[in-house]
Amino acid sequence: MRSGIRRKAGFLAAAGLLEYVLQLGVPVILVRYLTTQEFGDYRLMWLVAQTALILFPLFLPQSLFYFLPRAAPGTRPKLVGNTFASLFALGGLSILFLLGLMPVLPSSIAGLQRHSPLVQIFVGTWILASILDVLPTADGRAEWGARATIGFAIVRTATLAGTAVASGDVEWLLVMMCGLAMLRVGLAVFYALFAAQERGLGFDGQLARMQLKYSLPFAMASGFFALRAQADQWVVAANFPSSAFALISIASAVTLLGNLTRTPLGNALLPNFSSLVGEGNVDGARKLVSKANLLLGCTLPPLYGLLIATADELVELIYTREYLGAVPLMQIYSLGGIATVFGAGHLLWAFGFGRQAATIGAISLLLSIALSILGLQLFGLAGAVAGSIGSLVLWEWWSLTVAAKALGTSIAKLIPMDQTWKVAFVVAVGVLVAHTVSSELVTPVFLRLVARSSAFMTTVLLGFVLTKVDYSVISLVRGASEEAP
């Protein structure tokens, strides 16, 4: 089982890494062929789409992680068909909602009205297409999902980059994005009809009510959490023009780095974790979480540390010097990523703690908004980001406490504390060495990036050897290999 999780997580992580790299490639083109305002409009449109994905799907795609592993023979097509039908209706509702509401939103968002109805059509179709992110993996076909992710990422990058170069017009970008969203829907339908474990689509009203009853509390909880993560961006969008919003949207892209590891690992782990919890095998579930946290604790902090050390060069190289104001914001987001490496919010799904998560999520959202507004007034854009990160830290550590209690253990047993402190110290030293070594360099931006990256990675690798952190990683890999059939 664990070797299967390792294989699935590897496929999904590789797909996510390629998708992330390709996503970075799109702004490299767009910032050079669009004006600052047009690029800001493009990022604002994605903020609207991501917010709609929080509010409208009602957690129904993610609920498949719970229902499909437990499904009786013959019910899988009905569960999938129920989800498709619900998302189709909810996507249509989002289109009507945006058509009516967009003119009264904050001025920078209301400015997207000049791109209607393309924005609304894209958002509604993207909601329906969101099932592709979950369906293959929840159905036990993670490899198929990884291939679909890679293929779509390549097509999307080529399409958007080519459109930007050929037209230099954000309107044509929106047209292409609508087409890409429809392609994702087609891929999801193809999987359900021709590649799923039980092929076909059905509908069952009673099952649909069960899915909705399960998903609604988690929709509220995850919605509060995700909106909390976006609170700083909405605060900035409501108070600054789209060109300023472009800075915070660029900086927030570093949160994808954590998702590259956490989301594939979580998606690969959840079906097995859910099955173990359902069977009452708490000890097996606890071991899965402990090993996953060891992997996260040894990989994510060095990656975030590398971002902190090289933020100046990365922003200048990828987005040009015009967007260097995003550097301190990116570093704050990276610090927040380190502080929430062991977040356990996704584990609450398997325990059915939807109501508790919704309550704490609502409190976290209100706190995030308040802290972001206060931080904005006191420290500008950096203060808004710091306020949002503070509420995120509180949420993730609460989730970890609840998960530990449900598993009958303590946080200290789920987190490799000895290794965590060693990794944190080594990463801090690596950042300091990288800045010291390259602080006096007067060279082209690419050479500065190479110098800082090399200094940081050399320090971290040497630190891992001296503190024997590398033994833990090697032990984890060997243990997984020995458990393979």
Side-chain angles (χ1 to χ4, degrees), residues 27-33 36 247 250 312-327 445:
V28 171
I29 304 298
L30 297 188
V31 297
R32 288 163 172 82
Y33 287 90
T36 305
L247 296 179
I250 286 171
D312 287 273
E313 290 74 24
L314 285 174
V315 171
E316 183 176 348
L317 188 64
I318 295 173
Y319 299 102
T320 73
R321 294 184 61 84
E322 192 171 358
Y323 296 93
L324 281 176
V327 169
V445 59

Side-chain angles (χ1 to χ4, degrees), residues 112-276:
L112 295 178
Q113 183 69 16
R114 57 181 172 270
H115 304 302
S116 293
L118 291 174
V119 173
Q120 291 87 344
I121 292 172
F122 170 74
V123 170
T125 310
W126 201 249
I127 287 171
L128 177 57
S130 65
I131 191 174
L132 185 64
D133 295 328
V134 173
L135 176 57
T137 305
D139 194 42
R141 301 286 174 84
E143 294 87 346
W144 199 100
R147 288 193 292 268
T149 297
I150 293 171
F152 181 78
I154 293 172
V155 171
R156 179 179 61 186
T157 301
T159 301
L160 295 181
T163 302
V165 172
S167 69
D169 186 353
V170 71
E171 195 85 8
W172 275 106
L173 279 178
L174 290 175
V175 172
M176 293 297 102
M177 288 167 66
C178 290
L180 289 169
M182 294 175 188
L183 174 61
R184 286 195 85 203
V185 173
L187 286 172
V189 173
F190 177 88
Y191 176 84
L193 295 180
F194 301 106
Q197 287 195 34
E198 293 185 18
R199 300 171 184 176
L201 292 171
F203 186 81
D204 186 304
Q206 184 177 359
L207 276 177
R209 287 190 291 272
M210 288 177 58
Q211 287 177 268
L212 192 61
K213 182 179 179 181
Y214 169 85
S215 68
L216 275 179
F218 287 105
M220 294 176 62
S222 63
F224 288 139
F225 169 75
L227 287 172
R228 181 226 52 75
Q230 290 187 341
D232 53 348
Q233 297 185 49
W234 277 104
V235 168
V236 171
N239 290 276
F240 290 92
S242 58
S243 56
F245 173 77
L247 296 179
I248 195 170
S249 67
I250 286 171
S252 66
V254 304
T255 59
L256 293 174
L257 180 65
N259 294 337
L260 283 175
T261 301
R262 292 178 60 173
T263 300
L265 183 61
N267 287 348
L269 179 147
L270 269 177
N272 300 90
F273 182 82
S274 181
S275 296
L276 289 171

Side-chain angles (χ1 to χ4, degrees), residues 390-407:
S391 64
L392 171 63
V393 172
L394 293 176
W395 158 268
E396 290 290 15
W397 281 94
W398 171 84
S399 300
L400 186 60
T401 301
V402 172
K405 184 176 180 181
L407 291 171

